[in-house]
Amino acid sequence: MPDQNQNRRRSHGWMGIHRGHQARPLEWLAEKFIFLVSLSAILMVLLIFLFVAREALPVFLGQTNTALVQKPIPPDDLDKHSPAELQAYLELSPAQFAKMEKSTLRTLLEVKVEAQDEIPENFRKDPDAQANTTEWKYLLHPHQWSGYDHPESIWQPVGQIKKFNIVPLLVGTLKVTLIGLLFAVPLAVGAAIYVSQLARPRVREIAKPTIELLSGIPSVVVGVFALLVMASVLQGIFHYQTRLNAFVAGIALGFAVIPVIFSIAEDALTSVPRAYTQGALALGASRWQTAWQIVLPAALPGVFAATVLGFGRAIGETMIVLMVCSASVMSWSVFDSARSITTTIAAEMAEAVNGGPHYRILFMLGALLFAATFISNMIGDFVIHRFKNKLEGKR
Amino acid sequence: MNAQTTNARTETRHFRAEKFDFWSFFFSGLTGMATLFILGILATILLNIVINGWSAISWHFVSTIPKKDFFDANTTGVLPMIVGTAFRVIVMTIFVIPVGVITAIYLTEYAANTSLNTRIIRAAVNNLAGVPSIVFGLFGLGFFINFVGKNMDRGISNFGPSLDNILQKYLHIHLHLSASDSSPVWGQPALIWASLTLAVMTLPVVIVATEESLKAIPTGLREASLALGATKLETILKIVLPQALPGIMTGGILAVSRAAGEVAPILFTGVAYYMASLPGHLSDQFMDLGYHIFVLATQSPNIEQTRPILYATVLVLLMLTFALNIVAILIRARVRKKLRAMG
Amino acid sequence: MAETLTPKLVPKEISAASAPTAAPFIEIEGVSLYYGASRALKNISVHLEEKVVTAFIGPSGCGKSTLLRCLNRMNDLIDGVRIEGSIKIGGHDIYAKDVDVIELRKRVGMVFQKSNPFPKSIYENVAYGLRLHGVKAKSDLDTRIEESLQQAALWEEVKDRLHSSALGLSGGQQQRLCIARAIAIKPEVILMDEPASALDPIATARIEDLILDLKKYFTIVIVTHNMQQAARISDHTAFFYIGELVEFASTTKIFTNPAQKRTEDYVSGRFG
């Protein structure tokens, strides 16, 4: 008579070797190994979050300082300041700081003083030169920089006074993404309805994989096409000034997103039970009435999820926007240039000093992007999951 | 009875044909046009590239290592880019296939479908699939280069010399482990880090494809094997995996074709603007087709002159990824057919 | 382990089909089985004899297949299954803690309802089980494979194409291949879960002949839907109804003079 414990342990997993693992240590080891490896996906998500956030952390903690003119610490006052103060002043990591000898610190302080002396006179008087532009108020709110007549949001990470206002980037990202979605969603959903509900089987068999082939085109290639061909064609139609602008980038982005939305929406539409459609057709509804009044409402959560997942894909797309438009102008106009978050990271990481404020802020943007796509993916997956369960009659 | 039905049917047909259903026409037309438009875009992109690229592509072009000024259409070539792309993709495959396949095995063969483990792993896989490629690039830089690589360098410079001594003393091997004292070897962009970053990125592709092929294997085969007294591991290795091989290959090919065209993840993790020689070591940087396209398109001093070589490079990349995609689709179709034949 | 197996496997002349009074080989005592909360088998006790064909009959859903799968613990594979009671085979409690399921399945072979040859060659199908259990030498493999294919009455049909795919065989041949595969590793018991239900009458007849042949060497438990089949091939019959064992007796008695009204109704075709 087996005891209860054994029974319970046996009751999950198909044929776990819960018994006799002493007799078969290899089998047992293999099972544990397979389990451990399978955790790698979880580990990777955690590591991505951890290491992107780690590099961005000093921005959140206010440990970065970009003030051009700082109150210098004279090398002779080395002992008067706490290690923490010195570390922040010299922009060193704790590990670096711990390894330094006093003489090295002294040299660094001297270098710093010399650097301060070399700042041109006209900057020294500028009030902005004393500002730490990585503070949140400079990152998020418009600021009246000296030489400007009114407060502005400016992203200008190079130069004597570095301006890190991320609002233009957010606006640019939203602008491009929304144009892309406005273009892609109607097309992709329309095509999904046609292919899944109205088209003849033969047409369906050809159209579906062909549209999905679009996702096989690398985004640099779409970028090249947008840059060389589409930009001119669109300019010819709409007669706007800047040839490369958010509009072109958005449409090109749409190309990249169409297969994603199409695939998920088509899947959702197809998974609406045939009993629904046949019921409607039996009542004398035409095919399009069935599609419009029965299938589409039933599949609406799936179509919504497709849009959300498409948004996640669009907001994270890099190369297309990078190639088509790049200037970071604060403007809501569709026909102005725009610079998205992804573009900014891709274009500027190479010139950012490893570990410097610019580098940290780029990582912070990356963390922001990660969070945005994480949330949109969660929502999309959740909606799809519920939709499928509902169709299968599960709770 | 029979006559009546026939009658009713003809009547309906007659009725339908009489009344022109405007909305039906409009709606089908609209959605049909959306479909046509998308197919049109695809065709335009492909035709544009093939027509413009075909005239510029030549054997010389694919087999030449270019000089520093690779914008010159007459002397340039893309050999190092092809080699670099192939190299990084191969190294990626070596990492991603085992991990992806083992994860899929756990999900289909070991874990109960509703258990917490499975749900968390699935959620992680879904999320990984949705992470923007540029974030993978940041991850590669922050984790592989600045954390793993730098610590490897530190470890080698700390323990390398003594390890070297020991090896030399007892095994008579000299690895020159201390040579990296001055400049970083691993703590900088390198092929291995680009490949690993891509491996993390394509992990979901391999997992999903393998899972699909494992699920398609009839339970009867597993039961037959187990009933003969095979252990679970023996069943997986001897019965399940051989059957799933085409599916695993499809997953691998899809991952490769996805990775081959990606540029954002390798921007900070290993790609080089120009290198005079082919990459020969895992710690080397490399040139890359996709990145080269980006460079040609955006940094050329004279875009009109670079246009032919730009198109030719795009065509090379496209042929590579499309060939891989088509092979994957063919394998998948053959497997599906075989499965259907088996009932 | 080979030592423990051999004595039982020496083919000996079987005594005439005995009434269920001789020494039991498989002892099922008070077995109940639960799928989650629902109880699929209710307190079943039955003793099966060695080298005898026992048929489990009953309407679908009566638990006969479930009980069969308890005998080589294939139910372990299903989520949320819980078993109470004890099953002894040859005096060993197969649900005891120290039992190795792998070893058990080696001694208790199984043939499934739907023939499930591996997508390998005919030769490899039979060789698979043998290799698992340590037969490595080519000559040994060859003899054992020929032996079991002959026992399964398949040898004459396939000896010229041993290395072609098993999937090219007909349904009946595939099922006999599965039987050959099962007997190749010389189990003591063979469980058959409606082995002929998907076959045409001629193929079914061949399988039935084969079963009558095999009972000289093996203890056979067969689940069947087909009452004529049970009457033709089995020595003892157990009739199940909604998870309960209604009656267990010699086949002749069950089909001519059952003790229970429900059995009589079922075997005479009044329900089920």
Side-chain angles (χ1 to χ4, degrees):
Chain A
M1 171 85 211
D3 61 284
Q4 287 290 339
N5 241 344
Q6 276 294 333
N7 279 328
R8 209 163 297 137
R9 281 181 56 198
R10 217 183 321 121
S11 67
H12 55 77
W14 72 265
M15 167 139 177
I17 35 125
H18 299 300
R19 231 175 249 266
H21 68 248
Q22 287 101 337
R24 295 176 195 282
L26 239 158
E27 189 84 4
W28 183 81
L29 268 177
E31 186 173 331
K32 293 297 160 215
F33 174 74
I34 289 171
F35 173 64
L36 282 180
V37 172
S38 75
L39 296 180
S40 59
I42 303 174
L43 180 75
M44 286 307 151
V45 172
L46 287 180
L47 281 180
I48 291 174
F49 181 72
L50 209 73
F51 276 85
V52 173
R54 188 182 94 130
E55 301 289 308
L57 200 62
V59 178
F60 293 104
L61 296 181
Q63 286 174 347
T64 45
N65 189 1
T66 51
L68 184 63
V69 179
Q70 297 180 356
K71 199 168 157 263
I73 299 177
D76 298 331
D77 292 355
L78 185 59
D79 298 323
K80 289 185 195 161
H81 293 270
S82 70
E85 269 179 315
L86 284 173
Q87 187 201 318
Y89 173 73
L90 291 171
E91 293 173 33
L92 296 172
S93 71
Q96 284 172 319
F97 186 76
K99 272 201 292 184
M100 295 215 172
E101 310 223 341
K102 223 166 204 168
S103 56
T104 334
L105 285 176
R106 209 185 157 84
T107 326
L108 281 175
L109 286 175
E110 278 161 10
V111 170
K112 199 97 180 174
V113 171
E114 270 169 40
Q116 290 285 322
D117 288 341
E118 278 168 20
I119 296 170
E121 197 59 29
N122 54 335
F123 278 111
R124 206 176 284 248
K125 287 186 196 131
D126 190 338
D128 289 338
Q130 273 149 43
N132 174 9
T133 52
T134 59
E135 282 169 19
W136 286 109
K137 65 170 181 181
Y138 292 105
L139 293 185
L140 295 176
H141 299 294
H143 176 73
Q144 184 164 356
W145 302 96
S146 36
Y148 288 78
D149 350 322
H150 51 88
E152 268 188 69
S153 300
I154 297 173
W155 173 269
Q156 207 176 76
V158 282
Q160 287 285 12
I161 294 165
K162 298 175 177 61
K163 309 184 180 77
F164 290 120
N165 196 299
I166 63 172
V167 178
L169 308 182
L170 298 181
V171 171
T173 306
L174 278 182
K175 208 161 72 172
V176 176
T177 306
L178 288 181
I179 296 166
L181 285 183
L182 280 177
F183 174 70
V185 171
L187 276 179
V189 173
I193 292 172
Y194 183 77
V195 169
S196 71
Q197 303 296 318
L198 306 170
R200 263 170 284 140
R202 268 203 75 75
V203 177
R204 182 191 150 91
E205 261 170 48
I206 298 168
K208 193 174 144 84
T210 315
I211 292 179
E212 283 171 346
L213 206 62
L214 194 57
S215 68
I217 300 184
S219 54
V220 261
V221 176
V222 178
V224 167
F225 180 74
L227 189 69
L228 296 184
V229 181
M230 233 175 63
S232 309
V233 172
L234 287 176
Q235 195 178 27
I237 299 172
F238 294 97
H239 303 292
Y240 44 72
Q241 285 233 302
T242 348
R243 182 169 166 276
L244 297 175
N245 56 31
F247 182 65
V248 181
I251 303 288
L253 202 56
F255 292 177
V257 186
I258 281 173
V260 177
I261 301 178
F262 170 80
S263 210
I264 301 167
E266 205 268 346
D267 193 39
L269 287 163
T270 318
S271 64
V272 171
R274 288 189 59 185
Y276 286 26
T277 30
Q278 278 167 355
L281 288 171
L283 287 173
S286 68
R287 289 202 79 83
W288 83 267
Q289 280 172 326
T290 315
W292 183 251
Q293 293 167 354
I294 308 291
V295 181
L296 195 60
L300 212 56
V303 174
F304 170 75
T307 310
V308 172
L309 292 173
F311 172 80
R313 172 83 165 74
I315 203 174
E317 176 52 58
T318 309
M319 296 315 287
I320 293 175
V321 195
L322 182 62
M323 290 169 85
V324 174
C325 60
S326 54
S328 64
V329 207
M330 174 65 198
S331 154
W332 280 102
S333 165
V334 172
F335 296 127
D336 278 333
S337 187
R339 171 172 254 192
S340 71
I341 294 177
T342 51
T343 317
T344 311
I345 300 173
E348 293 173 11
M349 188 54 92
E351 64 205 42
V353 180
N354 209 331
H358 188 194
Y359 170 94
R360 302 274 180 222
I361 287 179
L362 290 180
F363 265 93
M364 187 201 74
L365 289 173
L368 214 64
L369 200 63
F370 181 62
T373 48
F374 189 90
I375 292 168
S376 64
N377 287 334
M378 288 297 251
I379 295 173
D381 284 341
F382 176 76
V383 172
I384 285 196
H385 201 73
R386 267 211 6 200
F387 167 67
K388 289 251 158 103
N389 280 352
K390 212 170 123 191
L391 283 186
E392 284 164 20
K394 283 190 227 150
R395 282 286 160 97
Chain B
M1 178 67 208
N2 208 352
Q4 255 181 344
T5 341
T6 333
N7 244 343
R9 211 180 284 148
T10 32
E11 250 180 44
T12 334
R13 255 192 216 153
H14 182 67
F15 172 71
R16 276 232 182 128
E18 272 294 281
K19 188 184 156 201
F20 173 70
D21 188 343
F22 170 76
W23 286 110
S24 178
F25 176 76
F26 179 74
F27 198 75
S28 310
L30 207 65
T31 53
M33 259 160 60
T35 316
L36 266 182
F37 187 73
I38 297 176
L39 294 175
I41 291 171
L42 181 72
T44 314
I45 296 180
L46 294 182
L47 281 178
N48 181 261
I49 286 160
V50 171
I51 290 170
N52 286 297
W54 195 250
S55 52
I57 213 165
S58 66
W59 176 246
H60 175 264
F61 180 70
V62 238
S63 63
T64 304
I65 302 178
K67 298 276 168 333
K68 179 107 195 160
D69 177 30
F70 45 59
F71 295 109
D72 181 1
N74 296 318
T75 60
T76 194
V78 286
L79 181 67
M81 298 78 177
I82 295 175
V83 172
T85 307
F87 202 171
R88 73 170 161 94
V89 161
I90 290 167
V91 176
M92 173 202 85
T93 315
I94 294 170
F95 287 101
V96 73
I97 299 270
V99 176
V101 169
I102 290 176
T103 306
I105 288 178
Y106 177 77
L107 288 176
T108 45
E109 309 290 319
Y110 285 92
N113 223 346
T114 48
S115 76
L116 192 64
N117 279 342
T118 328
R119 287 214 305 254
I120 296 177
I121 293 174
R122 270 182 219 288
V125 171
N126 278 342
N127 261 305
L128 210 54
V131 173
S133 46
I134 191 78
V135 174
F136 282 109
L138 288 179
F139 167 66
L141 176 63
F143 178 66
F144 288 125
I145 296 176
N146 283 350
F147 182 75
V148 180
K150 289 218 165 121
N151 280 320
M152 274 169 73
D153 277 346
R154 200 169 300 150
I156 290 171
S157 69
N158 286 348
F159 304 109
S162 43
L163 191 69
D164 235 15
N165 278 342
I166 295 169
L167 286 177
Q168 208 174 3
K169 204 164 166 187
Y170 297 104
L171 299 167
H172 307 286
I173 305 170
H174 197 66
L175 287 179
H176 300 281
L177 285 175
S178 48
S180 64
D181 224 5
S182 48
S183 63
V185 173
W186 300 105
Q188 61 169 4
L191 195 126
I192 178 84
W193 304 136
S195 301
L196 282 173
T197 307
L198 290 168
V200 177
M201 189 186 79
T202 49
L203 188 59
V205 180
V206 177
I207 293 178
V208 169
T210 310
E211 235 193 308
E212 197 178 284
S213 68
L214 289 175
K215 276 185 190 152
I217 297 169
T219 330
L221 286 185
R222 297 185 180 91
E223 284 189 336
S225 170
L226 292 168
L228 286 171
T231 66
K232 187 160 190 170
L233 191 64
E234 284 165 339
T235 304
I236 290 170
L237 291 179
K238 292 182 185 157
I239 301 296
V240 175
L241 277 187
Q243 281 284 293
L245 208 59
I248 295 170
M249 270 167 64
T250 317
I253 292 169
L254 287 178
V256 164
S257 87
R258 161 100 198 269
E262 279 286 348
V263 178
I266 60 168
L267 277 177
F268 337 122
T269 51
V271 81
Y273 179 84
Y274 176 75
M275 276 181 72
S277 58
L278 300 177
H281 193 267
L282 288 177
S283 65
D284 283 350
Q285 290 193 315
F286 58 95
M287 293 177 85
D288 179 84
L289 274 176
Y291 182 68
H292 191 64
I293 291 170
F294 166 68
V295 170
L296 289 177
T298 56
Q299 291 169 31
S300 161
N302 183 346
I303 187 73
E304 283 312 313
Q305 247 175 29
T306 353
R307 191 186 280 258
I309 52 170
L310 172 59
Y311 269 115
T313 317
V314 170
L315 187 58
V316 171
L317 177 65
L318 215 56
M319 287 200 297
L320 203 79
T321 54
F322 266 57
L324 288 168
N325 261 309
I326 286 167
V327 170
I329 289 169
L330 286 181
I331 293 181
R332 195 188 275 170
R334 249 187 60 183
V335 171
R336 293 228 168 112
K337 214 167 155 191
K338 210 166 142 195
L339 285 176
R340 224 173 290 144
M342 274 169 66
Chain C
M1 73 184 190
E3 278 71 17
T4 55
L5 273 174
T6 0
K8 293 230 145 94
L9 287 167
V10 178
K12 50 182 175 188
E13 286 309 311
I14 177 110
S15 51
S18 40
T21 47
F25 184 57
I26 301 175
E27 299 161 73
I28 301 170
E29 292 287 358
V31 165
S32 296
L33 181 138
Y34 302 83
Y35 288 114
S38 71
R39 193 171 171 196
L41 293 177
K42 293 170 194 159
N43 197 16
I44 288 173
S45 300
V46 59
H47 292 180
L48 312 179
E49 278 170 46
E50 197 176 357
K51 304 216 165 134
V52 148
V53 178
T54 306
F56 287 179
I57 62 169
S60 38
C62 68
K64 53 193 193 301
S65 284
T66 311
L67 182 63
L68 190 77
R69 292 169 69 97
C70 286
L71 298 181
N72 68 344
R73 291 186 49 178
M74 288 301 273
N75 283 327
D76 288 17
L77 313 188
I78 300 163
D79 282 350
V81 164
R82 196 159 57 81
I83 298 162
E84 284 171 4
S86 90
I87 298 175
K88 283 185 184 161
I89 296 180
H92 298 289
D93 182 354
I94 62 165
Y95 281 93
K97 264 186 181 169
D98 58 346
V99 161
D100 187 352
V101 190
I102 308 306
E103 194 63 27
L104 169 72
R105 296 202 183 122
K106 210 187 295 177
R107 290 159 169 241
V108 183
M110 187 161 185
V111 176
F112 296 84
Q113 177 172 11
K114 194 167 171 280
S115 62
N116 50 4
F118 302 125
K120 301 172 181 242
S121 70
I122 295 166
Y123 182 91
E124 283 302 317
N125 259 282
V126 186
Y128 178 75
L130 292 169
R131 290 216 182 90
L132 283 178
H133 300 118
V135 184
K136 291 270 154 61
K138 178 89 171 78
S139 55
D140 290 357
L141 278 174
D142 287 350
T143 40
R144 290 278 291 267
I145 288 167
E146 180 177 346
E147 204 179 285
S148 42
L149 283 173
Q150 255 162 358
Q151 249 183 334
L154 193 62
W155 177 251
E156 289 304 319
E157 292 157 59
V158 300
K159 65 181 175 193
D160 301 324
R161 47 168 173 155
L162 280 179
H163 294 282
S164 57
S165 169
L167 298 178
L169 295 174
S170 74
Q173 287 172 324
Q174 287 193 4
Q175 195 61 296
R176 273 179 284 145
L177 178 64
C178 291
I179 294 175
R181 188 172 67 182
I183 59 183
I185 53 174
K186 302 193 174 166
E188 294 160 37
V189 181
I190 301 177
L191 309 175
M192 296 189 173
D193 191 353
E194 306 195 27
S197 69
L199 302 179
D200 61 76
I202 295 167
T204 306
R206 301 199 62 165
I207 298 271
E208 287 178 7
D209 287 347
L210 175 58
I211 291 170
L212 287 173
D213 231 30
L214 290 174
K215 81 171 180 184
K216 286 180 222 150
Y217 313 106
F218 307 99
T219 305
I220 295 173
V221 186
I222 180 168
V223 162
T224 177
H225 239 77
N226 179 335
M227 274 170 292
Q228 284 74 34
Q229 186 174 65
R232 279 194 299 267
I233 59 173
S234 71
D235 303 305
H236 302 150
T237 299
F239 171 57
F240 293 85
Y241 186 66
I242 329 181
E244 280 177 83
L245 175 66
V246 179
E247 191 170 351
F248 176 59
S250 74
T251 303
T252 341
K253 184 166 187 303
I254 290 269
F255 281 91
T256 54
N257 185 21
Q260 301 276 331
K261 180 79 171 67
R262 276 185 295 181
T263 317
E264 194 184 341
D265 286 350
Y266 183 72
V267 297
S268 59
R270 237 166 274 166
F271 79 97

